[in-house]
Amino acid sequence: MGVHPYPLKFAPVFKERVWGGRALERFGLQPPEGAIGEGWMIADHPNGTTRVLNGPLAGKGLDEIRGTLGREWFGAKGFSERNGRFPLLVKLLDCNDDLSVQVHPTDDYERLPEGELGKTEMWYVLEAKPGAKIIYGLKEGVGRAELEKAIAEGRIMEVLREVPVEAGDAFYIPAGTVHALCAGVVVAEIQQNSDTTYRLYDYNRPGLDGKPRELHIEDSLNVIAYEGAGAKHMKTDGLRPGEWLRIAESPYFVVEKGIVDGRAELATSGESFDILVAADGSGTLRWDGGELPVRRGDCFLVPANLGAYALEGSLTALRSRVP
Ligand code: ZN
């Protein structure tokens, strides 16, 4: 297929969740009725595949693009014959209520479902209500036995670490880190392309079907990194236009935050695509041959073989690639 590379924008796949809400409407999206918790913005997964909205590839799924153009468009590091999927999954999450307390396995967990990977992820906080917090790891010194005992005695919350959050905070959540987003935050999530979640605790509440959601205590206890897995979080304000601050770094993705005031010259190298998430502001994405408007909440896949491109306007952008 002789298609010239160009930045792709996708139609999101929306997921109703017991903890969801309507906040994604504030990001220019039109989710269906209901409590919408997740907008899968760039996805190539059996549980959700996004389709292109713009240009010659409009209507094609990211899985089809992988099959025909993946080698050139995803780049030497972004394309894997072995994994057979786009390496990352990009979501916007509206946490209108608390998410379950959960943990994700690493790639080498022996009880992973067939074809699934582990999941290392990062969050960039787009909005946070005053007093909002998240659950981020176990309290200092809590090991498997103590956690198991706390679960059995119905007091798991006592051994979890709570961290206050504000818009602009970035959290790196390597596989093995216990975590939960809590009510009142909207985040952009960049993660390994996996949907494997082990639930430790769900506040004893009913799911969307009225029954409690399944817990996975044994798997959770097996995959938790009790000594820590390198979880890190940071404030990202005070950036000057033109600077790109590295806000998460893993074997699977590197995420940088930049402020654009005027024009920022960027480029892909052939090694990896760039994923752009517009965290705030508005502007234009320009390349040799075209342009697209950029608004808060927009996500783009910029092909590895595009080369030079630019962001113009007044924008806060996240830029992710495979290292
Ligand atoms: Zn998670």
Side-chain angles (χ1 to χ4, degrees), residues 99 102-104 119 121 123 173 177 179 189 191 196-197:
L99 274 75
Q102 55 185 253
V103 61
H104 307 296
K119 182 152 92 162
E121 58 194 29
W123 301 325
I173 305 128
T177 308
H179 60 278
E189 182 177 67
Q191 54 168 246
T196 307
T197 294

Side-chain angles (χ1 to χ4, degrees), residues 5 266-270 274 286-288 302-310 319:
L266 299 166
T268 52
S269 69
D274 279 358
R286 273 188 220 285
W287 66 98
D288 186 12
V302 183
N305 55 347
L306 179 71
Y309 69 96
R319 182 188 184 202

